[in-house]
Amino acid sequence: MQSRLRLPDRKSKVTVKEVAQRAGVGESTVSRIMRNKGPVAEETRKRVMEAVRATGYVPNRIAGSLASLDSHLVGVVIPSLSNIVFPEVLQGIHAALWGSENQPVISVTEYDIDREEAVVRGLLSWQPSAILIAGFEHTEATRRMLIQSDIRVVEMMDIDAVPIDIAVGMSHRRAGYATGRYLVGRGYRRFGYAGHDWNADRRARLRYEGLVDALRDAGLTIAAEAIAEAPSSVGVGKEMTARLCTHEPKLDVIVYSNDDMAVGGIFHCMGAGITLPDQLAIFGFNGLDIGRELPQPLSTIRSNRFLIGRTAVEKAFESAQRPPEPSVIDTGFEVFTGATA
Amino acid sequence: MQSRLRLPDRKSKVTVKEVAQRAGVGESTVSRIMRNKGPVAEETRKRVMEAVRATGYVPNRIAGSLASLDSHLVGVVIPSLSNIVFPEVLQGIHAALWGSENQPVISVTEYDIDREEAVVRGLLSWQPSAILIAGFEHTEATRRMLIQSDIRVVEMMDIDAVPIDIAVGMSHRRAGYATGRYLVGRGYRRFGYAGHDWNADRRARLRYEGLVDALRDAGLTIAAEAIAEAPSSVGVGKEMTARLCTHEPKLDVIVYSNDDMAVGGIFHCMGAGITLPDQLAIFGFNGLDIGRELPQPLSTIRSNRFLIGRTAVEKAFESAQRPPEPSVIDTGFEVFTGATA
DNA sequence: CTGTTAGCGCCTTCAA
DNA sequence: TTGAAGGCGCTAACAG
């Protein structure tokens, strides 16, 4: 009776050894078969697969990853799951990863870069093959870890900065500028801006700056703004709109930090009997489904979240080695002319 | 020169051994310190932490998990990320897991039980401490794997069946029944139903059945129904509503398979100049934010997705051992009286 | 309080 | 086409 008492209370796990014995082959043969790798006689394969089924063997990937020094894991870091755009990015990631050996491991930061640091440290300890992370705003420690890890790192959503390794996204500054140009072109002159918490959302601020630039180039300014300290939501959009509607002289257009906010604006107008776009025009950002289905479709800018996720994966796996220079992929955007502006 | 060429192309990884040598201590001391476990002299800790910082050491959890036979991983299986209710469940899971040693690993099935089987197999190979999975509809193989795994398994969302181990959710059948009772009580008599693909969404069907029961108990039936083959969305809700609006005699209320669909119904009515709830009443399911912010708040049933996620985690970690009998936790629901029914 | 010693379950190498 | 052997990096047990 040796130190055999170390087994966990779990039902004694089935291991390769057991399968190998049952099938009367060596362990490495079982291993090869489970991974469809290396030459195996059809005869042997059958015998082994039978043993696998009989025992209910499930390979232990923890042991496998350790032995092969390859986890086939992809770390994904996003700020939130409640903002629908991030689940959409995840869908792109899932789609691109589906069928490959790799599996995403998702972590959420709640827009907190200290939390992000903890989360990245946690992910790196799983030895992922790549990290896909939203945005450019990280703590110094996070940046260091990411750089030192020497795995591929994709910073998603945004391309208005120099990435650690790869950036995949769109220029929010240019989107803001395009918004301004479009609206000026449509004849709007008295601009309002309804926004949400910028500290957490650098990209919203970039769009705002782009907008201001476009207006300046047209000899205009933003006449009134209402910026909430809360994260964006339909409710907050309603509130900010109500506030801006008291402004004199009356605004003729309000630009929103995103579609959720803009939908709130539309709901406010519906309730207050303000007709769109004659009495007031409304412009959002993102191109969410909900905006398209409104009685009057929301005018907005379409970003391509799914494509960002998919492209991030593709670029991350293009090569295991980081090139000497960082690269930037622009997934673009387009102005969508709805009925509200 | 031996077989030292086996190092991966990665920058030579820092391991415990290296840290231990630099700090002039044994490996297990470093290990203890990294895990804040066991007694350690403050003096030693400092010296080791310095070496950790100097080397940029990140412990390898793959190796750690293998050695300790504990992955601290929780597998989460959900059908989709585009339906906002699942991200909400995830938030509850994240919240409950935050601060614990455990980390969720999320997989998405796209409402496909064969895909679910593959996904569950993949998750189990990571030796998770528990599996949290949405719904009761699994392949036989999935059920077998889950049962044999001998870890805690929580089936979420639904409680209208006998779970493998634990169920956390609400009775969709009773919610459907409550909907019927409520609407009959409000005086509605000519019922329409607008639904989405049932094959993928068993819970929607349960609600429908509950509704039919309630109507039968009141001597009523559903006069007209429009059921799409597509997944639920605002757009599909609009379409189905348009279809039902041609029905003669006119319906006085439409029950929707969920809030997304119902919001589509509201948008249709807005566009068609149908006043709510006089000409037509509308009732949803879920209690999403968007419904509350509409000019006229949507009448609906509030389910508690966040609570489901949180409770699932709590129950899963109550004990590592499965009790002989499965257990069921009801997170409840409530009728929300908005302005549309 | 700390170091030594065996593995954890699998994969890779290498020889057969 | 197959098997044996030696780690992968860390932790648990135990002795000091």
Side-chain angles (χ1 to χ4, degrees), chain A residues 25-26 28-29 32 39-41 44 66-67:
Chain A
V25 301
S28 44
T29 301
R32 283 193 206 90
V40 178
T44 321
L66 181 61

Side-chain angles (χ1 to χ4, degrees), chain A residues 23-71:
Chain A
V25 301
E27 298 184 22
S28 44
T29 301
V30 175
S31 173
R32 283 193 206 90
I33 290 173
M34 293 309 289
R35 287 173 297 123
N36 303 307
K37 217 179 167 194
V40 178
E42 193 45 39
E43 177 57 27
T44 321
R45 149 170 280 113
K46 252 191 243 156
R47 215 146 29 87
V48 170
M49 286 314 289
E50 236 160 67
V52 167
R53 262 186 292 272
T55 54
Y57 172 62
V58 178
N60 181 335
R61 286 192 69 164
I62 292 183
S65 298
L66 181 61
S68 66
L69 299 177
D70 193 350
S71 68

Side-chain angles (χ1 to χ4, degrees), chain B residues 26 28-29 32 40-41 44 66-67:
Chain B
S28 46
T29 301
R32 285 193 204 90
V40 178
T44 321
L66 182 60

Side-chain angles (χ1 to χ4, degrees), chain B residues 20 64 90 113 134 212 227 236 334:
Chain B
L90 288 182
I113 60 172
V212 169
I227 299 180
V236 170
E334 72 188 279

Side-chain angles (χ1 to χ4, degrees), chain A residues 265-335:
Chain A
I266 290 177
F267 287 175
H268 170 82
C269 292
M270 284 174 166
I274 299 171
T275 63
L276 307 176
D278 315 322
Q279 292 181 46
L280 180 68
I282 283 183
F283 198 90
F285 172 80
N286 259 338
L288 302 186
D289 289 343
I290 180 89
R292 242 198 310 283
E293 301 297 348
L294 286 162
Q296 297 182 75
L298 172 63
S299 296
T300 187
I301 282 191
R302 286 200 183 138
S303 60
N304 204 331
R305 284 87 58 191
F306 185 92
L307 180 63
I308 289 176
R310 185 152 61 74
T311 309
V313 171
E314 287 167 1
K315 299 308 288 184
F317 284 94
E318 228 172 51
S319 141
Q321 226 54 48
R322 280 189 203 163
E325 290 305 314
S327 55
V328 171
I329 316 295
D330 188 351
T331 52
F333 61 83
E334 71 187 277
V335 173

